[in-house]
Amino acid sequence: MRFGMPWPGRDVGREAEQAGVSAFCAGEFADHDAYLTVADIVANTEHALAGPAIAYAFARTPYAHATALRHLHAQAPGRLFLGLGSAAFRINRDWLGVPGERPVDRIAETVGAVRAWLRAENGERVHYSGEFYELDADVRAPVLGRLDIPVLLAAFNTRMATTAGRVADGVIGHGLFTGPWWNEVVRPSVERGRAEVTRPLEHGWIITAVDDTTPERAVADARRMIAFYLTVKTYDPFVAHHGWEEPVARLRAAFRSGDTDGMARAVTDEMLTEIAVCGTTAEAKDALARRAGSLPRDVGYFAPPSFMVSRRRRAAYARASLALVGAVPEAA
């Protein structure tokens, strides 16, 4: 497994690459754009992989996704990947103003349409025909040329994971992912959908909070992040798979009442151990060694908690996680 992290900014990012971090990713939300962040990554690193993990698939046309990647490829050839996520129904409908229905079918076509733009040679029409996208572009300028940039899908539940295996180059796992969820749900689903012989890529986020001075705060932040994620009903199959319905009911009740400390307390020790890497550096290394066979096989992004955590503390967690570089051999 390669060690990666969400882009921590220029200063920490340069330090991280020097320390051996070999991949950076960029998420997005109402206050930050995935592709602008990737541009910052490639401008301030030399060798690391870089890409959205994830970009909202339906916030842009396939043309816009592909054009951004072509622009970035000129600065970082061979270093890019594209991670797409369908986003929640309400984000699509209420934030982006696009249809929220049938996200799995829609994202499958998005992959095909983006690839049509990325793989077009000069002089060829860019053609794609589907239910959601119709492309027939005649670009009369020599600005194309095939780019084989891996496309990954954020896949949590079985249908999206199967679709990732069928249409994409691999998956991006959520920070909640456990060994059982990877091994018993996601990987088998990807395999069911896989149409080619090549092994699908696996990237994934890992909730990581390391603090040797106040490890109890790091643990509390990790618990709170887990709890915040689990307020979303999309993850109910994951909760049921692990038998965690009771603590999740408690944390959701605490969330409704605004009790963030109660949310954290509802996260059991088992949940924390299965999901997060946290505490002191030594404890975090032990956790990684214990989970070596159940982490994403290709790139693991050690992601600081963000819920109720300041930018300054997130940067401190990012720096502290550099001590974990090499804790899991790349072949694990």
Side-chain angles (χ1 to χ4, degrees), residues 30 66 68 98 117 139 154 198 237-238 245 251 286 296 301 304 306 330:
V98 298
W117 274 107
V139 180
T198 55
F238 169 85
E245 292 92 341
L251 71 85
D286 287 345
Y301 299 103
S306 57
E330 288 195 13

Side-chain angles (χ1 to χ4, degrees), residues 18-304:
Q18 291 172 359
V21 172
S22 58
F24 295 99
C25 67
E28 68 179 350
F29 201 60
D31 62 340
H32 54 280
D33 178 272
Y35 289 110
L36 289 178
T37 305
V38 175
D40 198 29
I41 295 171
V42 301
N44 290 281
T45 57
E46 297 181 4
H47 308 294
L49 293 176
I54 49 82
Y56 292 147
F58 313 133
R60 305 164 183 84
T61 63
Y63 166 89
H65 286 295
T67 300
L69 290 169
R70 284 193 177 277
H71 192 127
L72 292 162
H73 171 79
Q75 302 172 61
R79 293 171 55 194
L80 300 177
F81 64 89
L82 170 60
L84 294 174
S86 61
F89 178 89
R90 287 186 178 180
I91 287 179
N92 286 313
R93 184 192 65 188
D94 300 341
W95 295 20
L96 307 181
V98 298
E101 296 80 13
R102 300 176 60 199
V104 177
D105 296 331
R106 191 179 298 272
I107 205 169
E109 282 202 12
T110 302
V111 172
V114 169
R115 280 182 172 158
W117 274 107
L118 288 178
R119 295 179 175 179
E121 299 285 3
N122 286 315
E124 293 181 351
R125 299 183 80 90
V126 181
H127 180 76
Y128 182 85
S129 181
E131 179 181 355
F132 303 102
Y133 300 107
E134 286 284 345
L135 305 178
D136 189 23
D138 185 10
V139 180
R140 300 291 182 94
V143 295
L144 299 178
R146 184 184 177 103
L147 297 181
D148 289 311
I149 294 173
V151 181
L152 312 176
L153 293 184
F156 198 101
N157 291 315
T158 55
R159 189 169 176 224
M160 188 67 81
T162 301
T163 300
R166 178 171 59 86
V167 305
D169 297 296
V171 298
I172 296 175
H174 195 282
L176 287 176
F177 274 23
T178 63
W181 196 251
W182 271 115
N183 293 322
E184 299 167 17
V185 178
V186 175
R187 286 174 178 143
S189 297
V190 171
E191 286 299 314
R192 280 197 297 274
R194 187 160 62 98
E196 299 181 1
V197 176
T198 55
R199 181 176 69 80
L201 295 170
E202 289 183 3
H203 291 211
W205 286 51
I206 306 164
I207 298 171
T208 308
V210 177
D211 188 335
D212 287 326
T213 304
T214 54
E216 65 279 359
R217 183 172 69 175
V219 170
D221 285 339
R223 288 183 187 274
R224 202 174 288 113
M225 189 76 249
I226 292 168
F228 180 69
Y229 281 143
L230 289 174
T231 60
V232 180
K233 290 186 176 295
T234 300
Y235 308 136
D236 282 355
F238 169 85
V239 173
H241 189 80
H242 292 84
W244 291 340
E245 292 92 341
E246 185 177 339
V248 168
R250 292 199 304 270
L251 71 85
R252 287 178 179 175
F255 177 69
R256 288 192 295 270
S257 65
D259 180 7
T260 57
D261 290 336
M263 291 170 60
R265 286 194 300 271
V267 174
T268 66
D269 290 345
E270 178 192 12
M271 295 164 72
L272 184 73
T273 299
E274 289 288 322
I275 295 170
V277 171
C278 60
T280 65
T281 300
E283 290 168 337
K285 286 183 176 180
D286 287 345
L288 286 172
R290 189 171 57 248
R291 294 183 60 192
S294 62
L295 297 171
R297 284 191 287 244
D298 295 290
V299 183
Y301 299 103
F302 293 141

